[in-house]
Amino acid sequence: MKMDYHTTNQWDENIWREAERVYIEAFPEHGRKSRAVVRRMFERKLCTLHTWTEGMTTIAMALTAIDSSTRLLVIDYLAVREDKRGKGLGRACLADISVWAVTKAHCQGIVIEVEAEDTIENAERIKFWEKVGFRLTDYVHPYIWVPETYRAMYLNLEDSQAETYGANDGKLLFRAITRFHEKAYRGGDPES
């Protein structure tokens, strides 16, 4: 069956309900934003929801944000339904996001954060992102609101081989990530 790709930056209860099933399955409660925070991100025009469907069923989702000062796309979450994993779907989703980032969002790179703790699960995530072209930075970033530490990974989208916006500097990349998180949680309880 063919996979269809859609994006929206408007809150739509029905679309989110379908995407949320994949989101909840992929991320434990302590590792995901609440529905209220996600909805507020849409109301503040901070994010885009990317969905991939087979027929009427959502099989993958992503939430992204654009940091306009650096022309970076921040991937906040990317998830594939568990029974669809291991079939190249994550790679296909990232290819769609990359094209969208260049053509619609006019970004020069994509940044994500990965947990820095040395675990098998984290190593597998890092390995996936490296396979699709991301580079891991050395800097370990502590947040004050969660106990885990994180590292940034970067994918250059520019045609030239020149490094863009501090691609090897995790501290600079985390400025873009942190700006997004601060805007997402500002004016509301992070647990709401």
Side-chain angles (χ1 to χ4, degrees):
M1 184 174 275
K2 183 181 180 308
M3 183 172 68
D4 293 314
Y5 171 55
H6 304 279
T7 62
T8 184
N9 57 10
Q10 307 269 330
W11 176 261
D12 182 302
E13 185 70 32
N14 294 326
I15 294 171
W16 177 251
R17 189 177 305 117
E18 291 299 313
E20 189 176 40
R21 291 183 178 130
V22 178
Y23 180 60
I24 289 172
E25 179 187 72
F27 299 99
E29 187 173 354
H30 74 275
R32 64 180 186 257
K33 290 177 173 69
S34 70
R35 172 183 274 259
V37 170
V38 172
R39 185 175 185 144
R40 196 167 48 242
M41 287 169 28
F42 278 99
E43 290 167 357
R44 294 176 179 174
K45 302 191 183 317
L46 298 178
C47 67
T48 299
L49 175 63
H50 306 253
T51 57
W52 293 266
T53 57
E54 283 182 345
M56 299 297 290
T57 305
T58 299
I59 59 172
M61 60 77 65
L63 277 172
T64 64
I66 299 166
D67 186 72
S68 56
S69 66
T70 58
R71 292 179 48 219
L72 291 176
L73 184 73
V74 177
I75 295 180
D76 195 23
Y77 296 97
L78 173 64
V80 174
R81 205 171 76 185
E82 191 170 3
D83 64 337
K84 298 291 184 177
R85 294 179 193 158
K87 301 173 183 172
L89 187 55
R91 182 181 298 270
C93 293
L94 185 60
D96 287 339
I97 290 171
S98 296
V99 169
W100 180 87
V102 171
T103 61
K104 304 291 186 194
H106 310 290
C107 292
Q108 65 182 1
I110 301 175
V111 65
I112 61 158
E113 59 185 357
V114 293
E115 289 186 22
E117 186 180 5
D118 189 17
T119 67
I120 292 170
E121 186 177 68
N122 291 344
E124 288 173 359
R125 283 190 188 119
I126 291 168
K127 186 176 177 181
F128 164 77
W129 291 109
E130 287 177 333
K131 281 183 179 178
V132 295
F134 281 76
R135 283 188 276 160
L136 186 65
T137 60
D138 292 330
Y139 171 70
V140 176
H141 185 76
Y143 284 113
I144 59 171
W145 55 83
V146 293
E148 301 88 14
T149 55
Y150 291 85
R151 292 170 67 187
M153 295 188 77
Y154 180 82
L155 176 68
N156 186 15
L157 296 174
E158 298 275 294
D159 286 336
S160 75
Q161 295 301 317
E163 290 300 322
T164 53
Y165 186 75
N168 290 319
D169 187 339
K171 284 184 181 182
L172 286 175
L173 295 173
F174 265 99
R175 287 184 190 154
I177 295 167
T178 301
R179 274 191 294 273
F180 163 67
H181 287 310
E182 287 172 348
K183 289 176 187 174
Y185 287 112
R186 185 178 306 139
D189 179 1
E191 300 303 316
S192 63

